[in-house]
Amino acid sequence: MTTQATDSTPRPQDPFAALPDTARLWCFGVSRELEPDEEGRLLDAVDRFLAGWKAHGHPLAASRDWREGRFLLVATDDRITPPSGCSIDALVRGLRELEQDLGMEMVGGGPVWFRQGGGDGGVRRVSRAEFKTAAREGVVGPETIVFDLALTRVGELREGRWERPARNSWHARLMVPGKG
């Protein structure tokens, strides 16, 4: 993952917790559990990228969080410097490079993420069609804890909208025959 930095002095990464609720958020789910060395390579590469991430030559106040050993959350305080289309493209391009390097998928919509067997269960990734089938078969239901990777603001994450029962999320549409 390469950076857009024009100088060789990376700025310190902002702590994720210090970002305001209005900070722009991108959520990425890693398709498989990573080995500890792979996880380290992923996070080191993302940290290096964020340290030099810029929009139109201006540094972005950005940070990342790693959750459940499967989810990369990247956020930037767009009150300071808003991300540009090119800077967002650079992030996605860098993550795609990491996908190739680590032999996993992380970028792109579509999969549904949920907790297997309740609130303390392991994280599962399935296609929307598989989730619909699981709902029809009673494997998942309205109380199944799902992860909403479509969030766009850090405040939504802090409000508990990232991990919640399917009945309180867009995932509920996938449980209704003929919807979603």
Side-chain angles (χ1 to χ4, degrees):
M1 183 170 207
T2 57
T3 69
Q4 294 176 296
T6 55
D7 61 24
S8 60
T9 310
R11 60 176 187 74
Q13 188 180 79
D14 300 310
F16 195 87
L19 291 170
D21 286 348
T22 58
R24 178 81 184 270
L25 176 68
W26 294 269
C27 305
F28 303 96
V30 177
S31 61
R32 64 174 177 81
E33 290 186 35
L34 300 178
E35 296 296 326
D37 66 309
E38 293 175 316
E39 185 176 300
R41 287 176 24 215
L42 169 73
L43 298 178
D44 287 347
V46 170
D47 289 345
R48 282 192 311 276
F49 176 84
L50 294 180
W53 198 19
K54 294 182 178 188
H56 302 294
H58 300 283
L60 294 172
S63 190
R64 61 99 179 142
D65 197 11
W66 180 244
R67 297 193 177 188
E68 303 287 332
R70 296 294 287 273
F71 299 105
L72 174 66
L73 309 179
V74 175
T76 184
D77 186 350
D78 52 5
R79 298 173 312 166
I80 296 171
T81 302
S84 64
C86 291
S87 65
I88 295 167
D89 288 347
L91 171 65
V92 171
R93 206 171 30 255
L95 293 176
R96 287 197 190 278
E97 289 173 15
L98 287 168
E99 284 180 328
Q100 297 244 337
D101 183 43
L102 297 172
M104 51 80 171
E105 295 176 9
M106 179 172 33
V107 179
V112 174
W113 297 85
F114 66 97
R115 286 201 182 276
Q116 179 86 30
D120 294 331
V123 175
R124 289 269 327 265
R125 174 187 184 256
V126 297
S127 70
R128 289 176 187 229
E130 290 169 319
F131 192 79
K132 287 172 117 174
T133 298
R136 272 194 312 273
E137 295 172 352
V139 175
V140 297
E143 299 306 314
T144 298
I145 302 299
V146 294
F147 297 92
D148 188 351
L149 276 61
L151 302 182
T152 60
R153 296 288 168 188
V154 169
E156 295 171 313
L157 180 73
R158 292 180 180 143
E159 291 167 2
R161 295 179 58 193
W162 181 63
E163 183 178 1
R164 60 188 165 157
R167 67 178 152 67
N168 296 335
S169 176
W170 63 264
H171 298 79
R173 291 191 319 255
L174 299 176
M175 296 182 176
V176 178
K179 300 276 183 178

